[in-house]
Amino acid sequence: MKNDDTIPITVEFSGGLEMLFSNDRKHSLSMPAKDEDGTLSNIAYLVRYLCDSVMKDPRKDLFVLDGTVRPGILVLINEADWELEGEDKYEIKNGDNILFVSTLHGG
Amino acid sequence: MAPPPVLILESLRQQIASCESQLQDLRRQLAEAEHQQRAAQQHAHDRLRTSAPAPFGDPLTHDMRYGIHDDFRSEVFAALSQGEEEQAGEEEQRPPGRRWPLDAVEYRRYGRQLIMPEVGLQGQLRLKNAAVLIIGMGGLGCPAAAYLAGAGVGTIGLVDGDVVEESNLHRQILHSTARVGMTKVESAMVALNSLNPNVKLVSHTTRLSPETALSTMQPYDLVLDCTDNPASRYLISDTCVLLGKTLVSASALRTDGQLMVLNNPPMPPGSTSGGPCYRCVFPKPPPPESVVSCGDGGILGPVVGIMGVLQALEAIKVLTRNSNPSIPETPPDPPSLLIFSAYSSPMFRSIRLRTRKAKCAACSAQASVTPEALNSGSLDYVQFCGVINPVDALSPNERISVNNYAKIRLDVNPFTGTEPSKDSHILVDVREKVEFDLCNVEGSVNVPFSTVTSTRSSGPNGTSNGQQGNEEQSWVSELKSYPDKPIFVLCRRGNDSQITVKKMRELGLDLGGQRWIGDIKGGLNAWRDSVDPEFPEY
């Protein structure tokens, strides 16, 4: 029953966030299907998981602030703003594409 | 029981807002219907004047779209056209006796876009009668202004408080080498005027401020945000919401760009049918330390150019939408964010955005951003977005001026009395490698700041992450292998170097205080100003 334990997903970073993740824009991950409490993994857990297990850069505050994604980062679930999908409560499904975009300000 | 008065007030406000927007829409529809009628009659009139009488055909197959049959037209038209010309059209302000809605030069100049159904005569007249404000005449504003002037937008306002610098020219295509030092607005006006002298240009040569935003933006139909910082982005969006104007917002950095059309349709605050504003998408500003400018992060000219061109395109789409009577009317596109990434495949992707946020501080029924608050200056956008002060992380005895450092290289060391030598110390340059390779001080070694910051100090637990790359550790062990040499840290401006000095201490490179580690104040900028004027400035 190994397949039940992890979910394959694609996580992408854009707008400079990739620099915090080994300069890789696209990560294919197998993340735990359930969080620490045994409930189905949602975006909030994915963010913790990315911080603890994927991000090597110690500057966590450039990604997470006060337990959630810092202001100025859009979270997009399968090409849609996470606000349309239930924000960090969205339960992650097999094959989901989660994109983190940092806003740019240059012009 | 009657509802509480607050709810009644709220409900009335919402009803008024909704009626107002309906009224606005009806007025627009009326103006367009009137216009179409005039245009159809004018078309018939023109045909009458220019073409020979059509050969008599079957009256039943005659196309009635342009009016009645030729045989009856002249007398009917004489009666109709009299009253018609007295009604000055909103879009078509044709001087009396003028034969065509556009000048001959306009037909020629805009011919290639006029023949497209998306534009056509009505679309061109809309562009001609439109006033667009472009805020920021940099990498986004230049191409955006060029295309809008080229397309024949009647009035273009330009806002910028800066002057042209040489480092702008690789991307800010309206400026020129000869105009370095001129204000960006004046320089852009020179270029735009030579591109299309028919466009009326309005100059605003100061930076937009909360106190001036409403009056500056009020006369325009549409606004382009081509600025380069979060504070102005919030200010512009808030003002657009208050004035009921659609906003085309773009940004770019390095190889990436982002584009949004906001407040589209531009309904009053509280109306849920309006498009989201910048605050709906980004309710809180990013921490100032996460904001990178083009000067620090770099920017590829065509990347920001593409985004500016897309802004012009979206502006044309908004201005000419539903101008063609033969194409069914469509609502504005649903809100989306277009992400451009020059080195990704595909380069473009479009993301569906949220609608208006129910508790948005700017565009919801409970908005706290009001014209009064804006005009009074009580909304401090710079404060809201935060400022980064220059780093002041070290005590004076951990720092050295460029002049004293130069003495160490050339004279006797003021601290130790030893003879000058480049080998007496280690000079660490913490700029990124690509910058270090551009130019560096002789004898310096490069430890990129990104490597410094991504090196974990062994914390109280003493845990060093197993995944930590060997490369990051190697610079530490390398520096540890020369324990007797003081370390001087250098960067571009003198900020990163201070943070590096602190980090080096945390990593134990000061050998418990036995080795001096310090930063060179003001970095390479100060080095160029005071010591080596030939050191390149980039």
Side-chain angles (χ1 to χ4, degrees):
Chain A
M1 299 298 281
K2 214 165 183 214
N3 286 345
D4 292 342
D5 300 334
T6 59
I7 338 172
I9 55 166
T10 306
V11 176
E12 294 185 77
F13 300 98
S14 167
L17 285 176
E18 64 277 8
M19 292 182 193
L20 300 175
F21 291 88
S22 324
N23 254 320
D24 251 340
R25 286 174 178 269
K26 199 168 185 170
H27 296 246
S28 296
L29 301 177
S30 281
M31 71 170 293
K34 290 178 178 168
D35 69 7
E36 307 91 333
D37 303 328
T39 46
L40 291 171
S41 294
N42 57 20
I43 295 284
Y45 176 61
L46 170 66
V47 170
R48 285 203 297 282
Y49 175 78
L50 288 173
C51 249
D52 297 342
S53 308
V54 182
M55 188 175 177
K56 290 171 194 160
D57 198 295
R59 293 172 292 173
K60 310 282 184 202
D61 54 331
L62 290 181
F63 185 57
V64 175
L65 206 65
D66 303 326
T68 184
V69 173
R70 74 154 165 81
I73 294 179
L74 279 182
V75 185
L76 303 155
I77 302 168
N78 300 324
E79 315 279 299
D81 192 338
W82 73 340
E83 310 249 0
L84 301 169
E85 307 284 347
E87 301 194 30
D88 62 355
K89 312 266 187 317
Y90 171 85
E91 280 174 11
I92 292 169
K93 294 171 186 59
N94 228 312
D96 273 350
N97 178 297
I98 317 289
L99 169 63
F100 295 89
V101 186
S102 172
T103 50
L104 307 173
H105 298 283
Chain B
M1 198 177 82
V6 181
L7 283 185
I8 297 173
L9 282 176
E10 194 42 53
S11 148
L12 284 172
R13 277 197 198 106
Q14 280 185 0
Q15 286 178 50
I16 291 170
S18 152
C19 287
E20 271 172 351
S21 75
Q22 267 183 21
L23 195 60
Q24 209 179 347
D25 199 42
L26 284 171
R27 282 209 186 97
R28 189 181 54 78
Q29 284 180 28
L30 175 66
E32 279 180 18
E34 283 173 351
H35 186 80
Q36 273 171 35
Q37 189 192 18
R38 274 199 309 281
Q41 282 165 350
Q42 189 58 41
H43 186 101
H45 183 56
D46 290 345
R47 274 215 325 208
L48 182 72
R49 296 208 297 196
T50 54
S51 61
F56 189 73
D58 179 2
L60 293 178
T61 61
H62 176 73
D63 183 353
M64 295 295 281
R65 272 182 302 179
Y66 300 122
I68 53 175
H69 196 279
D70 283 352
D71 288 12
F72 315 117
R73 193 165 46 195
S74 51
E75 36 184 317
V76 178
F77 206 90
L80 277 176
S81 63
Q82 205 54 42
E84 208 49 49
E85 274 165 15
E86 284 159 16
Q87 298 175 17
E90 186 191 38
E91 290 184 321
E92 192 179 323
Q93 293 147 357
R94 192 183 321 178
R98 197 162 136 181
R99 195 162 161 198
W100 311 104
L102 295 168
D103 290 336
V105 289
E106 293 174 305
Y107 279 99
R108 268 199 303 276
R109 179 181 282 264
Y110 308 122
R112 300 296 188 274
Q113 74 189 31
L114 277 170
I115 59 175
M116 295 177 53
E118 290 81 0
V119 181
L121 177 61
Q122 299 312 321
Q124 191 64 47
L125 289 168
R126 288 246 196 115
L127 294 175
K128 187 179 178 178
N129 291 322
V132 175
L133 184 65
I134 303 178
I135 308 177
M137 287 315 296
L140 294 167
C142 283
Y147 276 99
L148 290 180
V153 168
T155 304
I156 299 179
L158 310 171
V159 184
D160 205 308
D162 289 347
V163 296
V164 178
E165 292 175 23
E166 228 170 336
S167 65
N168 301 147
L169 298 177
H170 83 293
R171 65 190 189 284
Q172 303 184 9
I173 53 165
L174 290 181
H175 310 313
S176 75
T177 310
R179 294 199 291 272
V180 168
M182 192 187 267
T183 67
K184 286 190 176 177
V185 168
E186 280 170 7
S187 167
M189 285 172 80
V190 172
L192 293 171
N193 207 36
S194 76
L195 175 65
N196 190 350
N198 308 309
V199 174
K200 184 186 168 208
L201 300 170
V202 183
S203 79
H204 305 271
T205 48
T206 49
R207 201 172 249 270
L208 202 69
S209 72
E211 293 84 352
T212 59
L214 282 167
S215 58
T216 304
M217 288 159 67
Q218 212 283 324
Y220 295 91
D221 302 306
L222 181 74
V223 177
L224 268 56
D225 183 348
C226 301
T227 64
D228 62 358
N229 64 87
S232 58
R233 291 190 183 278
Y234 283 99
L235 170 61
I236 291 166
S237 172
D238 289 353
T239 312
C240 280
V241 169
L242 292 174
L243 293 170
K245 299 185 193 302
T246 292
L247 170 64
V248 183
S249 179
S251 58
L253 184 70
R254 300 190 183 103
T255 60
D256 291 2
Q258 295 168 356
L259 172 82
M260 289 184 287
V261 182
L262 296 165
N263 201 30
N264 185 36
M267 295 302 177
S271 157
T272 50
S273 57
C277 73
Y278 195 76
R279 274 186 202 266
C280 296
V281 185
F282 301 111
K284 287 185 200 164
E289 58 274 14
S290 72
V291 177
V292 183
S293 70
C294 291
D296 287 338
I299 179 70
L300 212 48
V303 169
V304 68
I306 280 168
M307 302 318 293
V309 172
L310 283 171
Q311 283 183 285
L313 175 61
E314 291 295 350
I316 290 171
K317 281 164 68 182
V318 169
L319 293 172
T320 60
R321 193 169 68 83
N322 296 333
S323 63
N324 185 338
S326 61
I327 297 178
E329 293 211 357
T330 53
D333 290 333
S336 69
L337 166 71
L338 184 68
I339 301 178
F340 172 75
S341 192
Y343 288 78
S344 294
S345 183
M347 284 195 269
F348 287 98
R349 64 200 285 187
S350 179
I351 305 297
R352 277 181 298 132
L353 281 182
R354 55 161 313 127
T355 51
R356 279 191 173 179
K357 194 177 168 79
K359 290 181 178 171
C360 178
C363 71
S364 72
Q366 38 193 300
S368 56
V369 175
T370 61
E372 297 73 36
L374 209 56
N375 277 329
S376 72
S378 69
L379 293 170
D380 189 336
Y381 287 85
V382 175
Q383 181 73 27
F384 173 64
C385 293
V387 276
I388 325 180
N389 296 313
V391 177
D392 186 17
L394 303 177
S395 62
N397 59 6
E398 294 170 297
R399 313 195 65 186
I400 182 170
S401 70
V402 284
N403 288 319
N404 279 337
Y405 176 67
K407 281 183 193 150
I408 294 176
R409 289 172 71 94
L410 305 167
D411 302 329
V412 174
N413 185 333
F415 297 114
T416 61
T418 53
E419 288 298 304
S421 160
K422 281 194 277 290
D423 295 336
S424 66
H425 64 276
I426 303 169
L427 176 61
V428 175
D429 185 332
V430 292
R431 291 174 300 152
E432 293 306 308
K433 182 174 186 305
V434 62
E435 289 182 60
F436 181 80
D437 290 345
L438 296 176
C439 48
N440 53 62
V441 175
E442 194 194 346
S444 57
V445 293
N446 184 218
V447 180
F449 188 62
S450 60
T451 306
V452 173
T453 52
S454 63
T455 303
R456 283 166 201 259
S457 341
S458 44
N461 317 336
T463 49
S464 137
N465 191 314
Q467 293 172 316
Q468 175 94 26
N470 290 333
E471 203 182 324
E472 279 142 290
Q473 301 287 7
S474 71
W475 71 273
V476 179
S477 43
E478 180 76 13
L479 286 174
K480 277 184 178 161
S481 66
Y482 301 96
D484 51 332
K485 291 187 180 180
I487 301 174
F488 295 83
V489 185
L490 182 66
C491 67
R492 194 170 171 189
R493 295 187 230 281
N495 292 327
D496 292 349
S497 54
Q498 296 180 57
I499 295 165
T500 304
V501 168
K502 290 198 91 163
K503 182 83 177 190
M504 284 178 170
R505 281 183 208 288
E506 284 169 31
L507 291 165
L509 283 169
D510 63 340
L511 310 171
Q514 287 182 3
R515 160 160 53 187
W516 190 84
I517 304 178
D519 105 292
I520 297 175
K521 276 190 271 185
L524 286 162
N525 281 351
W527 181 254
R528 177 175 46 249
D529 289 345
S530 305
V531 179
D532 181 3
E534 286 176 17
F535 194 86
E537 180 181 9
Y538 60 87

